[in-house]
Amino acid sequence: MLEEKDDNLQDAEGNLEEQSSTANETEETQSEVENDVTAEAESDVETTETEAVTEETETVEETVAETSAAVTETDVEDAEQTLEEHQEAVNEVHENVAEDAEDESANERHEIPVLDYHSMTKEALVDELEKLVKNEKVQAIKEHVDGIKSEFNQKFNEVLEQRKEEFLAEGGNIIDFHFSLPIKGRFNVAYNEYRSKRNEYYKNLEKDLHANLEKRLALIEELKGLLNVEENINNTYKHFKQIQEQWRNAGSIPKTQYNNVWRTYHHHVERFYDFLHLNRDLRDLDFKRNYEEKLKIVARAEELAKEENIIHAFRELQNLHRLWKEDIGPVAKELREEVWNKFSTATKVIHDRRQEYFKNIDKIYEQNLVVKEEIIAKIQEISAGNYKVHNQWQNKIKEIEKLREAFFNAGKVPLKVNEETWAKFKQSVREFNANKNAFYKSLKKEQQENLAKKLALIELAESLKDSDDWAETTPKMKKVQADWKKIGHVPKKISDKVWKQFKNACNHYFDRLHAQKNAASAEENAALEKKEAFLSEMEAFELSGDTKQDIETIKKKIADWKSIGRVPYNKKNIDNKFNKVIDGLFKKLNIDKQESELIKYSNRLENLDERKINSERIFIRRKIDDITAEIRQLENNLQFFSNSSSNSPMLKKVHQDIEKHKRALDTWKAKLDQLRAL
């Protein structure tokens, strides 16, 4: 673009040289120029450099002035309101452009995504901070670092407060309290590195900004001096273009000076173009190029107005305004209003979409606030509960942890209530922790008492574990085990240790008892060999097909098995193998189910000791009571069918259920009779 412009300017300069070939024409031109410069200088006496009005503001004022006489008062108000809205949008963009003026990388900025720091763990936050400080430019990560710092401090302070409350609840003195985490050290190192880099950056930046300001002010003075030089107009124009190029490359300046310096420069650029009014070819060519470039900017702004990512669109719009102000000069006066209105309209569309975006963000934050308030209410409800046992508290602790996680994952809330919401959340969790600590403080005393009881049982078990008086010691050891089960919890840090001591003492005794029994009975070993051979024979046994004869044969086999006698204690599993073989044979027989059950049940009873027989008796009686109650309920239900036909499906179903339960009841009663016979 610039190369094309230079080529055209050279052609124009050549034409100017032809036009000024005669001395008379040159003298007339210089005389008129001097008169214009004098008039311009006199008109500028009343205004300072920094009070120069921007191109956009002039356009707004001219538009209002031209239309005020032709429209009604209402139309004027509407027009003024529209212009004010457009100007408000433009001003916001200009403010952002001025703020970015100090950032040397503003035109090279790349997007650094802002993550949902609120839902990240402390470790993840520090990892992200370290990555940003190491890989990104320090001037581009302020928003990210501030967000990470805020969320990390909130999460760390919550843990700190909880640990402090636990410390005080256990009787500690606040003066002695000290708490830290390794992750906090990592955070401090990364954040201090960020601060050091940031301070160094801004120290160097301030020096560069003031140096660039001096350069730009010197260029303005040089530009002003062009109006007073006595040289060929073509050379003056070349000098002007050189000043423009140096201005573009002069670098950033302090944002407090940005707008005034630019307006002053822009004012003198326009004065120079007015100075060139006799050299219309040069001026019009430049105006044309500027107009074309501004139309390109307008077209790009209109494209941005349709872009889905409004944040990205707004940032690129800032660059377009910077190009409009910094790189492109004025256009012909009759086109200024038209091209500026197009750009202003596109700017307002993007501005309005951005405002709507943040309005919707506020709605999302409001929804997040509702969710967080509901979570806080649930925590408060749990905190108000009266829990008496350890398991209840453990369940509630898990619930609170899930609610805390849900709170952190719920997202941001409106800034105006952020601190208040966070304080309510911390207070609700603090109340729960205080109640929990009070419970476990009282529980600690009880656990110490339980520990004393269990240590006494361990001492007793260890005193009995090497006894050879099996008849007297075995009941005592069983009582020790029963008493152990009745004692509640002991402190968790010692629970496993005392349990291992107790278990080792008991196992030592009963292993000796079983070893003695196994070694003492030669008959049991002989019986084992017989049963192993008998089992092999039964696994190969085949039924004859005569049900009655097969039943008698199976009964005889069972009787033969029982007659062999007991086997060593650690080999009793062989009886279970035999029972499985018998069960398989009964399944192949076509006999009454109850009869089959009783035969198999009788076989199993031989392997039960006294304790298991008592347990079996209790179990069967409970089953008989349950089935009897079920039969009684079904018989009562028959009253509801007093008017029903005997062919009713539902009535038949009830009778069938009653019969099924009666058959089951008979089976269980028969089993109970067999137990009694034992």
Side-chain angles (χ1 to χ4, degrees):
M1 181 191 74
L2 292 175
E3 292 175 358
E4 293 175 359
K5 181 184 288 187
D6 290 342
D7 292 341
N8 292 326
L9 288 177
Q10 290 173 2
D11 295 338
E13 290 166 357
N15 294 333
L16 283 173
E17 290 172 357
E18 293 175 3
Q19 293 175 1
S20 59
S21 59
T22 64
N24 292 333
E25 289 175 340
T26 302
E27 291 175 359
E28 291 173 0
T29 300
Q30 291 177 346
S31 176
E32 291 178 7
V33 168
E34 289 173 358
N35 292 335
D36 289 335
V37 170
T38 303
E40 288 287 338
E42 291 174 353
S43 66
D44 286 339
V45 169
E46 297 178 357
T47 59
T48 64
E49 294 172 356
T50 59
E51 292 172 339
V53 182
T54 62
E55 174 185 334
E56 298 88 342
T57 307
E58 289 177 342
T59 304
V60 172
E61 292 175 350
E62 290 170 6
T63 302
V64 174
E66 292 172 0
T67 59
S68 61
V71 297
T72 66
E73 183 178 348
T74 302
D75 293 334
V76 170
E77 292 178 355
D78 293 342
E80 288 178 346
Q81 182 178 356
T82 301
L83 291 171
E84 287 175 359
E85 291 175 354
H86 280 230
Q87 193 61 34
E88 179 185 352
V90 171
N91 289 342
E92 181 173 351
V93 178
H94 284 186
E95 289 173 4
N96 285 284
V97 171
E99 289 179 2
D100 288 341
E102 290 186 355
D103 186 358
E104 293 180 342
S105 63
N107 294 325
E108 303 174 358
R109 178 184 298 160
H110 70 282
E111 291 287 339
I112 304 176
V114 178
L115 306 180
D116 184 7
Y117 301 129
H118 194 63
S119 62
M120 294 170 66
T121 64
K122 294 188 291 295
E123 289 73 14
L125 288 170
V126 174
D127 289 342
E128 181 65 15
L129 176 61
E130 291 174 339
K131 184 177 74 174
L132 289 171
V133 173
K134 179 180 179 182
N135 301 327
E136 304 292 349
K137 294 181 178 179
V138 71
Q139 67 272 24
I141 60 175
K142 180 181 185 303
E143 178 185 1
H144 308 73
V145 173
D146 289 346
I148 291 173
K149 178 185 176 184
S150 174
E151 295 299 337
F152 181 88
N153 285 339
Q154 284 186 359
K155 289 178 170 58
F156 178 79
N157 288 337
E158 183 190 1
V159 177
L160 178 65
E161 289 294 328
Q162 184 175 344
R163 296 294 176 84
K164 185 188 296 182
E165 290 172 5
E166 292 175 355
F167 178 78
L168 296 177
E170 294 178 356
N173 190 323
I174 189 62
I175 299 176
D176 301 325
F177 177 74
H178 175 73
F179 173 74
S180 184
L181 288 174
I183 194 66
K184 176 64 172 174
R186 279 182 56 199
F187 173 82
N188 290 341
V189 170
Y191 186 72
N192 288 337
E193 182 180 355
Y194 161 75
R195 290 180 59 186
S196 298
K197 287 185 175 182
R198 181 192 62 185
N199 294 340
E200 183 67 21
Y201 166 78
Y202 283 111
K203 182 179 178 181
N204 294 332
L205 178 62
E206 184 178 6
K207 185 189 303 182
D208 293 341
L209 292 176
H210 284 90
N212 294 339
L213 176 61
E214 294 299 324
K215 290 180 187 177
R216 288 186 182 266
L217 293 176
L219 288 173
I220 290 174
E221 291 300 320
E222 190 175 347
L223 179 59
K224 289 164 62 177
L226 292 180
L227 302 180
N228 302 318
V229 298
E230 296 181 0
E231 62 179 358
N232 184 283
I233 193 66
N234 296 309
N235 294 333
T236 302
Y237 185 76
K238 289 179 180 179
H239 192 176
F240 169 71
K241 301 307 287 184
Q242 291 172 357
I243 292 174
Q244 281 189 314
E245 183 64 24
Q246 292 177 42
W247 179 270
R248 295 189 187 99
N249 299 324
S252 304
I253 64 175
K255 66 181 180 181
T256 55
Q257 302 288 330
Y258 176 79
N259 283 323
N260 284 338
V261 170
W262 177 83
R263 287 170 181 161
T264 304
Y265 169 76
H266 187 72
H267 170 70
H268 288 291
V269 167
E270 288 188 341
R271 287 187 64 196
F272 181 80
Y273 276 108
D274 290 338
F275 171 72
L276 291 179
H277 77 281
L278 294 179
N279 302 279
R280 295 184 181 278
D281 288 343
L282 280 176
R283 186 188 65 176
D284 292 346
L285 183 62
D286 220 15
F287 279 172
K288 180 182 178 182
R289 290 297 183 191
N290 293 340
Y291 181 66
E292 291 174 354
E293 292 304 314
K294 288 194 173 183
L295 286 180
K296 291 179 183 179
I297 289 180
V298 170
R300 179 54 186 157
E302 291 172 346
E303 290 177 5
L304 291 176
K306 303 174 183 178
E307 185 169 317
E308 183 175 351
N309 188 338
I310 189 60
I311 301 300
H312 177 268
F314 183 77
R315 286 178 176 169
E316 188 170 339
L317 178 66
Q318 292 173 239
N319 290 331
L320 295 181
H321 274 265
R322 189 179 293 107
L323 290 173
W324 187 285
K325 295 174 70 172
E326 293 279 358
D327 293 357
I328 303 176
V331 300
K333 192 169 185 179
E334 64 273 14
L335 298 175
R336 289 178 188 174
E337 179 181 351
E338 171 199 343
V339 71
W340 169 248
N341 285 341
K342 289 181 180 179
F343 190 37
S344 175
T345 300
T347 295
K348 186 175 185 304
V349 171
I350 297 173
H351 172 269
D352 291 344
R353 284 190 58 210
R354 181 171 175 263
Q355 294 295 101
E356 184 65 23
Y357 168 80
F358 284 111
K359 183 179 178 182
N360 291 334
I361 282 291
D362 289 340
K363 291 180 180 179
I364 295 174
Y365 287 174
E366 290 290 346
Q367 294 172 358
N368 295 343
L369 176 61
V370 173
V371 173
K372 288 195 170 184
E373 287 179 340
E374 291 175 353
I375 292 173
I376 291 172
K378 290 179 181 177
I379 294 176
Q380 291 172 341
E381 181 182 350
I382 293 174
S383 300
N386 186 19
Y387 313 115
K388 300 294 186 182
V389 297
H390 169 73
N391 288 340
Q392 288 180 329
W393 276 104
Q394 290 301 306
N395 291 334
K396 296 306 174 184
I397 290 172
K398 292 177 182 178
E399 289 182 32
I400 293 294
E401 285 300 317
K402 290 180 180 178
L403 290 172
R404 287 180 70 258
E405 184 177 353
F407 182 89
F408 289 127
N409 292 336
K412 295 182 178 179
V413 300
L415 185 62
K416 61 183 179 181
V417 296
N418 185 54
E419 290 296 328
E420 177 185 350
T421 306
W422 175 246
K424 287 169 63 178
F425 171 72
K426 285 199 299 183
Q427 180 61 29
S428 61
V429 174
R430 186 179 293 115
E431 289 175 359
F432 173 81
N433 288 332
N435 295 337
K436 177 195 69 176
N437 293 339
F439 168 78
Y440 281 104
K441 186 176 180 180
S442 64
L443 189 63
K444 187 175 181 181
K445 180 180 179 182
E446 180 183 339
Q447 290 181 345
Q448 289 296 330
E449 294 173 352
N450 293 339
L451 177 60
K453 294 177 183 178
K454 288 193 172 184
L455 291 175
L457 290 179
I458 291 173
E459 184 178 355
L460 178 57
E462 288 181 340
S463 69
L464 297 173
K465 68 179 184 179
D466 292 318
S467 174
D468 293 329
D469 189 351
W470 311 110
E472 183 178 349
T473 305
T474 300
K476 290 181 179 179
M477 289 295 289
K478 290 182 178 180
K479 185 177 185 304
V480 167
Q481 290 178 319
D483 291 343
W484 181 277
K485 294 179 181 179
K486 295 175 184 178
I487 302 174
H489 294 283
V490 300
K492 188 175 181 180
K493 60 184 179 180
I494 200 172
S495 176
D496 290 342
K497 180 180 178 181
V498 295
W499 166 245
K500 288 180 180 178
Q501 283 184 267
F502 179 73
K503 185 174 69 171
N504 290 340
C506 293
N507 288 346
H508 178 79
Y509 173 79
F510 285 105
D511 288 344
R512 289 178 60 244
L513 175 63
H514 296 154
Q516 187 273 338
K517 287 183 176 180
N518 291 338
S521 178
E523 293 183 8
E524 290 179 353
N525 290 326
L528 175 62
E529 294 179 1
K530 292 180 180 180
K531 284 194 172 183
E532 287 174 344
F534 195 93
L535 180 61
S536 299
E537 179 184 336
M538 288 301 300
E539 289 174 343
F541 178 76
E542 295 289 340
L543 296 173
S544 66
D546 185 341
T547 302
K548 187 175 181 180
Q549 179 181 344
D550 286 336
I551 291 174
E552 293 301 323
T553 302
I554 292 173
K555 287 182 178 180
K556 185 176 185 308
K557 295 290 186 183
I558 293 172
D560 291 344
W561 179 269
K562 292 179 181 179
S563 66
I564 294 175
R566 295 181 179 274
V567 298
Y569 182 82
N570 59 348
K571 298 295 184 179
K572 283 193 172 185
N573 190 47
I574 194 169
D575 290 326
N576 294 331
K577 295 180 180 179
F578 177 77
N579 290 336
K580 289 182 179 179
V581 173
I582 295 300
D583 289 344
L585 293 174
F586 273 116
K587 286 181 181 178
K588 295 178 182 180
L589 293 175
N590 186 19
I591 62 174
D592 180 76
K593 184 177 179 181
Q594 180 177 351
E595 181 181 0
S596 172
E597 279 289 318
L598 292 176
I599 294 174
K600 291 187 289 182
Y601 188 69
S602 176
N603 180 42
R604 291 192 179 92
L605 290 180
E606 289 295 323
N607 300 317
L608 299 181
D609 56 26
E610 182 179 352
R611 183 179 61 83
K612 291 183 178 179
I613 289 175
N614 289 332
S615 299
E616 185 73 9
R617 184 182 293 110
I618 293 171
F619 171 76
I620 292 177
R621 283 175 176 168
R622 187 177 296 120
K623 289 292 295 184
I624 291 173
D625 291 341
D626 291 343
I627 295 174
T628 302
E630 186 68 24
I631 293 172
R632 188 180 301 111
Q633 180 63 44
L634 290 171
E635 289 176 345
N636 289 338
N637 291 345
L638 290 176
Q639 297 177 10
F640 297 105
F641 298 94
S642 58
N643 296 326
S644 301
S645 169
S646 59
N647 294 325
S648 170
M650 293 183 65
L651 183 60
K652 289 181 178 180
K653 178 68 169 55
V654 173
H655 281 296
Q656 291 173 359
D657 290 342
I658 291 174
E659 289 302 318
K660 182 178 71 174
H661 285 305
K662 285 182 176 180
R663 288 194 297 272
L665 181 61
D666 291 339
T667 300
W668 285 107
K669 286 181 177 180
K671 289 182 178 180
L672 184 58
D673 290 339
Q674 289 185 0
L675 274 176
R676 287 171 178 164
L678 288 177

